[in-house]
């Protein structure tokens, strides 16, 4: 068991090395041994499995066989997005009371009943998607977003690219940053009109914001692909979001833990806060609230104040990494009084930011599993999954607000997904975009039609357990053992720290 844990830990370290900005000769040698280590790990795990199968009465053996016997679900039809996205509150009926503990259900409303979750599960087991790879970046894609029929992507190669989705072609190449692009945001149309008038541009002009490790936030026009404004922040920008309340402003996070607010039209710095001890990894808005997270595991909740306040952000609460139990590249996604947290481990943390209560949702059946990003759309939670041991990658789908597991979507050549965005077409069909080594557009195919799906829908019985309150579990103990086994390794073997890239690859 000791060698298995050491190999698992080394493979996780290699995965983190691969997404560093630059590598030295020793690091490149370690990466070259990845397939060798994966092969050795597979051999050891096979030996363990054979041992478990010789003990038919053991619960471990039963669990292994259950996982192996789980049927692969394929589909010929896709459910309409309107059916998948609509919750009971949107259908005009009140949801029944749930028996689940309050700290498990997301949002302030009660969860769906079991029959509706079962219906969603059946729908997603029939889902079909066409996948298209958008080629043009020559390095890792760090951030993505969607505006109308356009996909915008930022990359470690310092560029922002605009893609026309219907034709899967590059529409604009926005070059101007001198270091890797780390984050993107798109202001709403009303805010764009205000700035467009000040710049004597068309009222229907749309803008995109990009943040970079070169300490700049740039404002780009989508029609002509030019940078019309730039903010120098004096620190590498690792996260940003746009807040339309009041006079509207941009909120940025830096690699030093600073959160700053900038007025939208004048670009004046109206607030600067030393909010976190380490790099800010994510900033997300939900109504009048702004949420920020840090690589030290801390989560802060801010209330936005309109009316032209000199300091638009007011701290409501802060939960440290000791409470969240998170470290590293922490990604967050808020929903009601809950925040979903992913920090590159096999599970998703669910933090009640009003009380500090914590629960955990399993997102992988292996200790070598990695969760890089979480995203919510309507009644659906989408989480990336990646296994450092074998390179298996895909998406897990859960119903909201109860977080019941629905299905896993995979495709043969999938790479690690580090960022994600969603939107729907005029007909209500799903369109998604994922970024990492590859930039991929996921287009839901219609219910009728003979077109073959590019993805495979599978079930993983290990993910069917409901969220549980945080505490000492077998997974926790396993993770602690992984740390202990490598406690005496050289410093060069340690996971890379302090790089902006580890903080922003979500």
């Amino acid at each position: 068991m000791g060698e298995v844990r050491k190999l698992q830990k080394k493979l996780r370290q290699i995965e983190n090395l691969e997404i560093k900005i630059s590598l030295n000769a020793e690091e490149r040698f370690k990466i070259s041994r990845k397939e060798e280590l994966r092969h050795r790990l597979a051999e050891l795990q096979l030996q363990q499995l054979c041992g478990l199968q010789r003990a038919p009465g053991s619960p471990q053996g039963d669990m292994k066989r259950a996982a192996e016997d789980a049927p692969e679900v394929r589909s010929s039809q896709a459910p309409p997005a309107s059916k998948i996205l609509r919750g009971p509150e949107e259908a005009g009926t009140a949801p029944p009371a749930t028996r689940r503990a309050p700290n498990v259900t997301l949002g302030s409303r009660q969860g769906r009943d079991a029959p509706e979750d079962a219906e969603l599960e059946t729908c997603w087991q029939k889902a079909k998607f066409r996948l298209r790879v958008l080629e043009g970046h020559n390095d890792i894609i760090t951030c993505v977003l969607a505006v109308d029929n356009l996909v915008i992507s930022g990359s470690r190669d310092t560029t922002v690219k605009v893609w026309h989705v219907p034709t899967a072609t590059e529409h604009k190449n926005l070059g101007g940053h001198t270091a890797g692009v780390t984050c993107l945001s798109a202001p709403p149309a009303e805010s764009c009109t205000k700035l467009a008038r000040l710049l004597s541009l068309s009222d229907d002009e749309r803008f995109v914001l990009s943040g970079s490790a070169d300490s700049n936030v740039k404002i780009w026009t989508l029609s002509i692909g030019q940078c019309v404004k730039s903010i120098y922040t004096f620190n590498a920008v690792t996260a940003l979001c746009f807040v339309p309340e009041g006079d509207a402003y941009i909120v940025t996070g830096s690699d030093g833990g600073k959160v700053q607010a900038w007025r939208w039209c004048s670009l004046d710095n109206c607030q600067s806060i030393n909010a976190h001890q380490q790099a800010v990894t994510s900033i997300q808005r939900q109504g009048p609230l702004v949420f920020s997270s840090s690589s030290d595991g801390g989560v802060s909740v801010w209330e936005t104040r309109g009316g032209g306040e000199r300091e638009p952000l007011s701290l409501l609460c802060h939960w440290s990494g000791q409470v969240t139990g998170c470290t590293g590249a922490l990604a967050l996604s808020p929903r009601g009084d809950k925040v979903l947290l992913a920090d590159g481990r096999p599970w998703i943390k669910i933090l009640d930011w009003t009380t500090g209560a914590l629960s955990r949702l399993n997102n992988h059946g292996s200790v070598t599993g990695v969760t890089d990003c979480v995203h919510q759309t309507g009644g659906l939670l989408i989480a990336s999954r990646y296994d450092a041991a074998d390179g298996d990658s895909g998406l897990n789908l859960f119903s909201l607000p109860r977080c019941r597991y629905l299905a896993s979507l995979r495709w043969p050549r999938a790479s690690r997904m580090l960022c994600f965005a969603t939107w729907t077409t005029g007909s209500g069909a799903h369109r998604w975009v994922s970024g990492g080594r590859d930039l991929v557009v996921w287009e839901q195919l219609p219910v009728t039609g003979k077109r073959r799906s590019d993805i495979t829908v599978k079930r993983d019985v290990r993910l069917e357990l409901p969220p549980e309150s945080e505490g000492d579990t077998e997974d926790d103990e396993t993770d602690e053992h992984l740390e202990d086994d490598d406690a005496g390794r050289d410093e060069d073997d340690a996971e890379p720290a302090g790089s902006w890239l580890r903080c922003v690859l979500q």
Side-chain angles (χ1 to χ4, degrees), residues 12-83:
R12 291 175 71 97
Q13 293 165 2
I14 287 174
E15 290 296 336
N16 285 326
L17 282 175
E18 285 190 310
I19 59 176
K20 283 182 64 178
I21 295 177
S22 60
L23 299 171
N24 58 37
E26 187 175 354
E27 289 170 336
R28 286 193 291 270
F29 172 73
K30 291 177 182 178
I31 291 174
S32 70
R33 297 187 60 228
K34 181 169 69 172
E35 293 305 320
E36 174 189 343
L37 297 177
R38 282 180 172 174
H39 181 71
R40 176 57 180 161
L41 177 60
E43 288 181 340
L44 293 174
Q45 289 177 327
L46 180 60
Q47 294 173 10
Q48 291 180 3
L49 180 60
C50 292
L52 289 173
Q53 288 176 337
R54 286 195 293 269
S58 67
Q60 293 91 345
D62 295 340
M63 182 181 68
K64 287 286 186 180
R65 284 191 298 278
E68 292 172 349
D69 295 340
E72 176 180 325
V73 182
R74 297 183 181 273
S75 65
S76 57
Q77 294 183 339
S82 58
K83 186 174 184 180

Side-chain angles (χ1 to χ4, degrees), residues 463-475:
L463 306 187
E464 293 181 352
L465 294 176
E468 59 184 7
S469 296
E470 188 74 359
D472 291 332
T473 65
E474 183 177 348
D475 287 336

Side-chain angles (χ1 to χ4, degrees), residues 201-418:
L201 298 173
S202 171
D203 283 358
D204 58 1
E205 182 64 77
R206 297 299 301 270
F207 298 97
V208 171
L209 314 177
S210 63
S212 168
D214 65 8
S215 304
N216 282 288
V217 173
K218 292 186 178 294
I219 304 176
W220 310 85
T221 60
L222 282 181
S223 63
I224 56 179
Q226 290 184 357
C227 176
V228 293
K229 292 281 186 176
S230 184
I231 304 171
Y232 186 72
T233 68
F234 295 95
N235 299 99
V237 180
T238 54
L240 66 80
C241 78
F242 187 86
V243 178
E245 278 76 19
D247 293 337
Y249 48 94
I250 305 166
V251 179
T252 62
S254 77
D255 63 349
K258 185 177 292 185
V259 172
Q260 295 178 286
W262 312 80
R263 296 207 183 279
W264 171 228
C265 291
S266 66
L267 301 185
D268 293 334
N269 182 209
C270 52
Q271 193 169 10
S272 184
I273 311 164
N274 292 319
H276 297 279
Q277 297 297 317
Q278 295 183 24
V280 178
T281 58
S282 181
I283 299 179
Q284 302 290 334
R285 184 183 71 90
Q286 178 186 255
L289 301 179
V290 171
F291 298 77
S292 63
S293 62
S294 168
S295 57
D296 61 12
V299 174
S300 293
V301 184
W302 312 83
E303 185 178 20
T304 59
R305 294 182 283 189
E309 294 287 342
R310 185 173 183 274
E311 295 185 344
L313 296 178
S314 175
L315 182 64
L316 285 181
C317 64
H318 173 81
W319 300 104
S320 68
Q322 292 180 334
V323 175
T324 66
C326 296
T327 58
L330 179 59
L332 66 83
S333 179
R335 182 185 176 90
D337 56 2
K338 305 295 191 298
V339 182
L340 300 172
L341 305 172
D343 65 343
R345 289 192 278 183
W347 49 75
I348 300 167
K349 298 287 186 69
I350 304 174
L351 172 68
D352 185 325
W353 62 265
T354 63
T355 65
L358 200 67
S359 56
R360 195 171 76 181
L361 176 65
N362 193 23
N363 190 52
H364 210 286
S366 168
V367 295
T368 54
V370 175
T371 305
D372 287 302
C373 53
V374 287
H375 188 88
Q376 301 175 69
T377 175
L380 189 67
L381 166 62
I382 306 171
S384 67
R385 57 172 290 156
Y386 180 77
D387 195 332
D390 57 19
D392 177 56
S393 182
L395 297 173
N396 288 334
L397 309 182
F398 302 86
S399 67
L400 289 172
R402 293 183 59 180
C403 291
R404 172 173 172 171
Y405 172 65
L406 299 174
S408 296
L409 310 183
R410 303 178 185 177
W411 61 294
R413 298 171 301 281
S415 59
R416 184 175 176 180
M417 295 177 222
L418 304 168

Side-chain angles (χ1 to χ4, degrees), residues 110-122:
Q110 293 176 325
R112 297 184 176 90
D113 56 9
E116 289 197 29
D117 281 350
E119 184 180 357
L120 284 174
E121 180 181 320
T122 301

Side-chain angles (χ1 to χ4, degrees), residues 130-152:
R130 178 177 68 160
L131 304 184
R132 291 180 291 174
V133 178
L134 305 180
E135 298 182 349
H137 285 296
N138 55 32
D139 210 329
I140 290 174
I141 294 93
T142 60
C143 44
V144 292
L145 58 82
V147 178
D148 301 326
N149 279 326
L150 301 175
V151 162
I152 298 94

